[in-house]
Amino acid sequence: MYKHILVPTDGSKISLAAAKRAAKLARELGARMTSIYVMAPYMPPMETDVAAFYPEYSARGYEQAVRKSADKALARVKAVADAAKVRCAAVAVTGASPWRSIIDAAKKNKCDLIVMASHGRKGLEALLLGSETQKVLTHSKTPVLVCR
């Protein structure tokens, strides 16, 4: 059965719930987990006549803030895995397309299952924001378990 489960997280409650299900499944199967947080690359603010320079918008300030969010989200997944007595590695990567980074991480780490949450967006919201889960489902050759 499954030996290595990839668990993407964005720090939300629903992704933590998916991590709990992944940890339970991993414990039952004797599998290990890898948690991934995909950080968006830094995009400098557009210059306008009314824009002012704010240090938090510097590349360094942005990277520190995003890394802090990643570390916090990954620590939560690690705590869930630890409570289930499941080995769990954590990785934060920078990528413009989270779905592609997730699929690449599954390949790189030789994961045989991806367990991830779906926010269940519908209508215009889904059209505008897109669904990273849907894109992973569409493009992944690795099986995907979607939790709601």
Side-chain angles (χ1 to χ4, degrees), residues 29-118:
L29 297 174
R32 62 190 169 106
M33 292 171 39
T34 295
S35 179
I36 182 171
Y37 185 102
V38 181
M39 301 177 292
Y42 174 71
M43 298 292 288
M46 300 297 291
E47 291 184 38
T48 67
D49 291 339
V50 294
F53 175 75
Y54 293 102
E56 61 269 15
Y57 288 111
S58 69
R60 185 171 182 223
Y62 172 81
E63 288 168 7
Q64 288 174 340
V66 172
R67 175 58 72 170
K68 184 177 178 181
S69 293
D71 290 346
K72 186 176 178 181
L74 292 168
R76 287 182 179 157
V77 175
K78 177 90 167 86
V80 165
D82 288 348
K85 297 185 179 12
V86 172
R87 286 187 329 170
C88 183
V91 62
V93 298
T94 300
S97 300
W99 66 270
R100 186 176 309 275
S101 296
I102 291 165
I103 291 170
D104 290 347
K107 288 178 190 173
K108 180 181 177 183
N109 292 289
K110 297 184 172 101
C111 297
D112 48 12
L113 178 66
I114 300 170
V115 176
M116 63 189 303
S118 174

Side-chain angles (χ1 to χ4, degrees), residues 7-22 76-77 80 115-121 133 145-148:
V7 183
T9 184
D10 61 3
S12 65
K13 288 181 183 180
I14 194 165
S15 68
L16 187 59
K20 289 177 182 176
R21 289 185 180 184
R76 287 182 179 157
V77 175
V80 165
V115 176
M116 63 189 303
S118 174
H119 289 277
R121 293 184 178 101
T133 303
L145 174 62
V146 179
C147 302
R148 285 190 147 198

